[in-house]
Amino acid sequence: MGKKPVRKACTGDDGKSSEDVRSGLSLGSLWRAYIDNLICVQGRGIPEIATPNDRYMAFAYTVRDRMMYRAAHALHAYMNKDFKIVCYLSAEFLMGPHLGNNLINLGIYDETRQAFKTAGYDIEDFLEQETEPGLGNGGLGRLAACYLDSLATLEIPSIGYGIRYEFGIFDQELSDGWQVERTDMWLHLGNPWEIARPEISFDVKLGGRTEPYRDEEGRYCVRWVPHRIVKGIAYDTPILGYRVGTCNVLRLWKAEATESFDLEAFNHGDYYRAVEDKVVSENLTKVLYPNDTQLQGKQLRLEQQYFFVSCSLQDMIRLHLARGKGLGTFHETYAVQLNDTHPSVAIAELMRILVDDHRMDWETAWHVTKNTFAYTNHTLLPEALEKWSLQLFGALLPRHLEIIFEINRRFLDEVRTKFPGDEGRMARLSLIDETGNRSLRMAHLACVGCHAVNGVAQLHTELLKSTVLRDFYEMSPEKFSNKTNGVTPRRWMVLSNPGLTALITERIGAEWIRNLDDLRRLEEFADDREFHDRWRRVKLDNKKKLASRIREATGIVVDPGTLFDVQAKRIHEYKRQHLNILHIIALYVRIKLNPHTDMTPRTCIFSGKAAPGYFMAKLIIKLITSVAKVINNDPDMEGRLKVVFFPDFNVKNGQRIYPAADLSEQISTAGKEASGTGNMKFALNGALTIGTLDGANVEIREEVGAESFFLFGLTAEQVQEMKLQGYDPSALYASNPRLRGVIELIRGGHFSPENPDLFRPLLDSLTEQDEYMLFADFDSYVDCQAEVAAAYRDTERWTRMSIMNTARMGKFSSDRAIREYCRDIWKAEPVRVGMSGCLEWKPGGRA
Ligand code: 26Q
């Protein structure tokens, strides 16, 4: 406070423009700032001795300064205005490297590249240096990142709230074809994008007990006497929109010990206990849990969730009160989106703050709470629905459990009124699962405590309404809507595919970058020979670059002239990487039987991490690498078939993989993949999809046209039906010689001669249960792959389809998704921030 920003041209003491140093975008001022930072921030008095990291840091600070000017400007524009703020609560934000993206959004990527080139540097080397913040597992975390980009680009004031994990998702290495996890060290060389805000900190209570008491007016109240307290410190990362003035923030919380607690022990002479307390507190935000489906019910994970939710709500309330508003209007200021159930304890926390801390009556508090929150569901897998044992939950959050019981009591009253005498329904709807070890169903809490519930693709939303959340849909159908996921074209095209970006822009201008529907105009060139050639050349270039990465990472040499058939995503049985490998083995068998067969040469590329405790997923990786070893060393396969497992799939590698793919594998069992977003990134970059009618594949096919999509497999309905009839994989196995040949080859140890039984658990699970119905879809998949191979040989047709895929991806921009959230759920509107003029602290203003 005290300093007053004013708009005016900035002049320094020497009369020269000082604006330049930290905010100027000209080549000269960027270079000057870079050298300044190298010398003054990195302490490299002689730029020649700077390390690659020094150079990266100096450049990053140069870019960050420019962003901070936008942020200051935005803040100025927001002063004394009333508007809705969107808060996106997510336990994961998989941001990926910031530098390139910020250059794009600032609009100085090309200029900067040029400036560095003149000075003898390659901008790629700077980008290369950044260790990406991998603060997420996969789709859900990356979606949050894409949404932040779109929120800022659409000029919606918003805050992303999450956890500043010291160690993000592990780095994956391969050893003897097995996945090995290495600790992620993203903070080791420093993080130039974040600003620590030690003054923005909140205490978070944990454990202990509750105590009833009467207040001054004799009202019944409850207080929470915690067992321990940790402190959350804010770390802010600026999030700039694409070529707009809006600069939002990602605020991540780090846990630290509270001084008071340390001191207490310290004063009793127990120095070591005080230190121990510190270690225990800081443990809270140490590491991201690397599971995305199998939930383990670990107390620390619940602590993480509550910790970041509590800090975030306290922060919102602080801002709200500072704007001079009362808590009765909290929901008019904030729209809070819960990214899955991970932050859903926020519902109980806001009730507790309003009722216990601020003495609001229950009904008003409930009205505020319900109108504040909205919930996005990301899964249909029953085993992935979050549940906490009442014992664990109550021990950590005793007051919240009481509040949840009260929410449940009132909710079940409503159910009773609406469906009298329907005890079964009451049990199904209850927030408490009474079967077995009593547990709290977080999705139920979210459905009851939110005014809106959404799925992430049309099919997913329909399935939610008819299966896992059916009773909630019948209770309050008006809450449900679909919001099909989207991805940001800034990162997933402009940054990752400069070649295609330039080609497209040359033909239709650059408007598509903020209005992706504009890509439709490419259809005009779908039969243009010259355009076809250019289109193919860009793809080939991208494939060459990926090929050289593959060689570096694995030693395997792949031919960019072959069909690049790619499956890149987390390894999971429902995603069926093993169906893909079964097809590859079928191809192998076919070539072995007829070594001179004329076929479309293919390079099959896999990439993805397995949860460290997920045995089957790790075995699938070992199967892929074992099959790769045999195939890649067989001279009969030369020029026909190659298999690669490209390790450490993360945002950076995704940016290299998507632009280089010809074929995108989206082959999950229908009804299992909520949406998928990789499917969108591939198609946007001109890959054709081979896929089931699952998640957003359905809508992608609708958009690109059935003729440009390779469809196979059972529908979700057929899957359900077959399961009801009693699906028997062994009958399919017995009657399908091609399938049997493949399975028997694995079972006989052909790919694991040193240990023929190695893959038995995987094979037994297929022949005995086949939960994900690989056998049912096998023939259809293999036949469809034959169609792919034939289509690829018809270069003209393939190129046309590829162009059509890109041209019709408009719907899958995260800008479209965010517009829908704003309109239907958040009721949030853009607040324009001008970019003209420059901010300066008023001369003579109070410091
Ligand atoms: C929960 C509790 C305890 C520990 C871990 C978790 C946890 C963490 C991450 C549970 C789930 C996840 C991630 C889920 C996820 O990524 N889902 C994907 O979300 C995408 C975005 O909507 C969809 O496109 C994918 O279909 C969906 O699988």
Side-chain angles (χ1 to χ4, degrees):
M1 297 293 113
K3 291 175 173 180
K4 251 192 175 171
V6 292
R7 275 164 202 242
K8 66 188 277 286
C10 310
T11 45
D13 287 342
D14 60 359
K16 286 192 196 139
S17 171
S18 67
E19 163 217 343
D20 261 12
V21 181
R22 290 194 169 213
S23 64
L25 298 178
S26 70
L27 286 188
S29 58
L30 282 165
W31 186 253
R32 167 86 220 153
Y34 166 69
I35 296 294
D36 265 8
N37 281 320
L38 206 52
I39 295 169
C40 304
V41 181
Q42 291 309 110
R44 291 303 182 197
I46 314 169
E48 285 70 24
I49 62 164
T51 64
N53 192 59
D54 288 325
R55 287 197 288 271
Y56 160 74
M57 293 291 269
F59 186 34
Y61 282 120
T62 304
V63 174
R64 193 185 84 178
D65 282 346
R66 272 113 197 110
M67 296 171 72
M68 296 319 293
Y69 262 83
R70 307 275 171 116
H73 215 187
L75 213 59
H76 184 63
Y78 295 158
M79 294 261 237
N80 308 318
K81 276 208 189 107
D82 202 18
F83 50 81
K84 195 99 176 238
I85 302 171
V86 173
C87 298
Y88 201 83
L89 259 62
S90 178
E92 308 190 358
F93 284 93
L94 192 45
M95 301 300 290
H98 288 290
L99 177 57
N101 197 249
N102 289 336
L103 291 172
I104 300 269
N105 284 10
L106 270 170
I108 57 169
Y109 190 98
D110 291 330
E111 292 79 350
T112 323
R113 193 186 44 204
Q114 203 47 49
F116 279 117
K117 203 169 161 196
T118 316
Y121 294 112
D122 184 349
I123 196 168
E124 286 295 324
D125 297 336
F126 287 81
L127 301 178
E128 198 57 36
Q129 185 62 34
E130 183 170 350
T131 0
E132 69 173 77
L135 308 187
N137 273 283
L140 168 145
R142 183 54 232 177
L143 186 76
C146 284
Y147 283 180
L148 292 190
D149 182 77
S150 286
L151 279 163
T153 299
L154 296 175
E155 306 176 280
I156 309 292
S158 47
I159 308 175
Y161 280 114
I163 302 172
R164 183 180 177 275
Y165 300 104
E166 187 175 335
F167 303 109
I169 188 73
F170 62 86
D171 294 335
Q172 180 193 51
E173 287 178 10
L174 291 177
S175 169
D176 187 30
W178 293 96
Q179 167 173 298
V180 175
E181 299 90 24
R182 300 260 173 251
T183 313
D184 162 56
M185 297 284 186
W186 76 290
L187 289 171
H188 259 56
L189 294 174
N191 172 12
W193 303 106
E194 69 182 7
I195 297 173
R197 305 228 180 260
E199 78 284 15
I200 303 182
S201 97
F202 299 100
D203 282 353
V204 177
K205 303 178 203 171
L206 296 165
R209 58 192 161 78
T210 62
E211 237 175 43
Y213 69 98
R214 299 250 164 219
D215 70 4
E216 320 74 54
E217 287 151 45
R219 283 179 305 191
Y220 176 84
C221 303
V222 179
R223 76 163 67 89
W224 175 14
V225 186
H227 169 65
R228 62 194 170 104
I229 300 179
V230 292
K231 186 169 71 172
I233 311 269
Y235 282 73
D236 287 355
T237 303
I239 306 291
L240 188 66
Y242 177 72
R243 301 194 181 188
V244 289
T246 302
C247 189
N248 290 324
V249 63
L250 169 61
R251 178 160 286 174
L252 302 179
W253 302 101
K254 175 184 194 280
E256 287 192 0
T258 50
E259 292 86 359
S260 54
F261 260 56
D262 280 350
L263 267 179
E264 200 182 315
F266 186 68
N267 289 340
H268 286 88
D270 196 349
Y271 176 73
Y272 288 101
R273 225 211 76 208
V275 174
E276 255 168 46
D277 270 1
K278 193 170 156 58
V279 171
V280 169
S281 299
E282 289 180 0
N283 244 347
L284 213 150
T285 51
K286 238 342 126 196
V287 60
L288 166 80
Y289 279 91
N291 309 323
D292 62 348
T293 44
Q294 297 174 315
L295 312 178
Q296 286 177 310
K298 288 262 196 278
Q299 174 168 332
L300 187 63
R301 167 72 187 188
L302 184 59
E303 289 179 13
Q304 290 182 336
Q305 295 182 352
Y306 175 63
F307 166 78
F308 97 87
V309 158
S310 174
C311 290
S312 308
L313 282 173
Q314 292 187 62
D315 194 41
M316 287 176 226
I317 288 170
R318 173 186 66 90
L319 280 165
H320 188 70
L321 298 179
R323 284 168 104 193
K325 299 184 181 183
L327 290 177
T329 61
F330 186 80
H331 58 291
E332 292 167 17
T333 298
Y334 294 109
V336 182
Q337 193 66 29
L338 306 178
N339 198 20
D340 215 295
T341 52
H342 316 154
S344 60
V345 66
I347 293 160
E349 173 69 350
L350 184 57
M351 284 300 287
R352 187 193 66 77
I353 294 173
L354 296 179
V355 172
D356 289 357
D357 296 351
H358 293 269
R359 305 283 162 78
M360 195 182 271
D361 64 277
W362 182 279
E363 285 73 20
T364 312
W366 187 239
H367 173 81
V368 169
T369 299
K370 220 164 128 171
N371 284 292
T372 297
F373 294 112
Y375 156 57
T376 305
N377 172 290
H378 296 266
T379 189
L380 287 158
L381 302 180
E383 69 270 27
L385 290 175
E386 223 184 340
K387 271 178 162 192
W388 292 101
S389 92
L390 286 195
Q391 210 209 336
L392 191 154
F393 194 94
L396 188 72
L397 303 168
R399 179 58 184 145
H400 296 77
L401 189 56
E402 291 173 359
I403 289 171
I404 288 168
F405 281 143
E406 180 60 13
I407 294 173
N408 198 33
R409 190 186 66 76
R410 288 169 184 248
F411 172 61
L412 291 179
D413 278 349
E414 281 174 42
V415 178
R416 201 173 290 112
T417 311
K418 189 153 178 175
F419 300 99
D422 195 342
E423 290 300 318
R425 187 182 294 267
M426 303 256 291
R428 291 198 305 274
L429 279 166
S430 173
L431 306 197
I432 312 299
D433 182 352
E434 307 276 354
T435 60
N437 186 15
R438 291 174 82 213
S439 59
L440 174 57
R441 299 152 157 164
M442 302 310 271
H444 292 214
L445 174 61
C447 284
V448 174
C450 292
H451 68 280
V453 178
N454 75 282
V456 289
Q458 266 160 27
L459 174 69
H460 171 233
T461 302
E462 288 314 308
L463 289 170
L464 274 184
K465 295 195 288 191
S466 62
T467 61
V468 280
L469 299 181
R470 181 185 179 147
D471 293 311
F472 287 96
Y473 178 62
E474 287 174 3
M475 198 57 205
S476 342
E478 72 289 347
K479 283 189 186 180
F480 285 74
S481 76
N482 175 58
K483 297 287 167 282
T484 298
N485 284 165
V487 301
T488 169
R490 271 75 64 183
R491 183 176 291 273
W492 299 112
M493 179 67 109
V494 180
L495 179 61
S496 58
N497 201 342
L500 207 57
T501 298
L503 176 57
I504 294 171
T505 304
E506 183 190 306
R507 296 294 163 124
I508 65 169
E511 180 56 23
W512 61 273
I513 299 171
R514 64 172 95 247
N515 177 13
L516 205 62
D517 287 326
D518 227 43
L519 285 178
R520 279 258 170 195
R521 294 173 50 205
L522 286 176
E523 285 186 24
E524 193 190 316
F525 306 100
D527 296 307
D528 175 331
R529 290 296 280 270
E530 200 243 347
F531 190 68
H532 272 213
D533 286 348
R534 301 267 309 272
W535 191 267
R536 278 196 297 269
R537 224 174 308 141
V538 170
K539 182 63 83 182
L540 185 63
D541 261 8
N542 295 337
K543 287 165 79 173
K544 284 181 183 162
K545 285 190 193 128
L546 181 63
S548 87
R549 293 281 173 192
I550 288 175
R551 188 176 187 168
E552 273 167 36
T554 67
I556 301 170
V557 178
V558 301
D559 176 1
T562 60
L563 188 168
F564 274 19
D565 170 345
V566 190
Q567 188 168 16
K569 50 181 81 241
R570 285 297 284 252
I571 312 293
H572 200 290
E573 288 163 282
Y574 86 77
K575 297 180 189 276
R576 302 200 294 192
Q577 279 91 355
H578 46 340
L579 177 59
N580 189 343
I581 205 79
L582 294 186
H583 164 249
I584 292 168
I585 298 173
L587 285 181
Y588 168 77
V589 171
R590 197 185 302 160
I591 303 169
K592 283 313 267 184
L593 291 176
N594 185 0
H596 302 294
T597 187
D598 184 25
M599 64 167 289
T600 307
R602 263 189 215 245
T603 302
C604 300
I605 301 167
F606 293 84
S607 200
K609 294 175 185 176
Y614 188 174
F615 170 72
M616 281 298 190
K618 290 182 132 176
L619 196 56
I620 290 173
I621 295 180
K622 177 63 177 170
L623 177 61
I624 295 168
T625 54
S626 303
V627 170
K629 197 167 162 190
V630 170
I631 290 181
N632 299 345
N633 290 303
D634 184 333
D636 288 347
M637 300 299 130
E638 191 56 45
R640 298 194 153 76
L641 190 58
K642 272 248 153 98
V643 182
V644 175
F645 191 96
F646 187 59
D648 206 29
F649 186 53
N650 54 17
V651 175
K652 216 185 223 182
N653 283 330
Q655 288 173 200
R656 295 165 174 148
I657 290 173
Y658 298 120
D662 294 307
L663 185 66
S664 152
E665 298 270 353
Q666 306 302 334
I667 61 177
S668 51
T669 317
K672 300 290 178 191
E673 188 70 89
S675 160
T677 43
N679 46 4
M680 301 167 187
K681 296 164 197 165
F682 278 112
L684 178 62
N685 283 276
L688 304 196
T689 307
I690 181 165
T692 49
L693 284 179
D694 199 14
N697 296 353
V698 178
E699 291 157 74
I700 291 177
R701 181 166 172 268
E702 254 167 42
E703 292 295 304
V704 303
E707 69 288 354
S708 302
F709 187 105
F710 296 96
L711 178 68
F712 76 95
L714 299 172
T715 62
E717 218 169 296
Q718 289 167 332
V719 166
Q720 270 178 3
E721 183 60 21
M722 260 183 130
K723 284 259 157 101
L724 277 175
Q725 309 270 307
Y727 171 62
D728 177 15
S730 63
L732 283 170
Y733 184 68
S735 66
N736 188 336
R738 185 164 57 174
L739 173 62
R740 221 169 39 239
V742 169
I743 298 288
E744 274 165 13
L745 207 55
I746 308 174
R747 202 186 282 283
H750 189 78
F751 303 104
S752 56
E754 70 296 345
N755 181 1
D757 283 340
L758 185 61
F759 300 114
R760 242 188 100 159
L762 197 55
L763 301 178
D764 287 350
S765 120
L766 288 178
T767 48
E768 286 160 24
Q769 281 109 41
D770 193 15
E771 165 94 43
Y772 299 104
M773 300 180 120
L774 280 75
F775 287 6
D777 279 345
F778 178 77
D779 269 345
S780 165
Y781 180 56
V782 173
D783 294 345
C784 190
Q785 284 284 20
E787 282 175 44
V788 169
Y792 192 71
R793 298 171 81 115
D794 183 347
T795 311
E796 284 301 304
R797 182 177 157 220
W798 187 276
T799 309
R800 189 175 198 286
M801 290 197 290
S802 169
I803 295 168
M804 283 303 187
N805 261 266
T806 302
R808 297 180 174 180
M809 274 302 111
K811 173 172 176 185
F812 304 101
S813 166
S814 44
D815 299 344
R816 186 268 315 148
I818 287 298
R819 275 198 199 94
E820 291 179 3
Y821 277 99
C822 284
R823 186 193 61 204
D824 304 338
I825 298 179
W826 302 331
K827 316 289 178 211
E829 281 177 354
V831 179
R832 302 252 128 78
V833 178
M835 280 198 296
S836 61
C838 141
L839 263 186
E840 197 214 18
W841 305 120
K842 193 177 184 175
R846 273 193 302 131

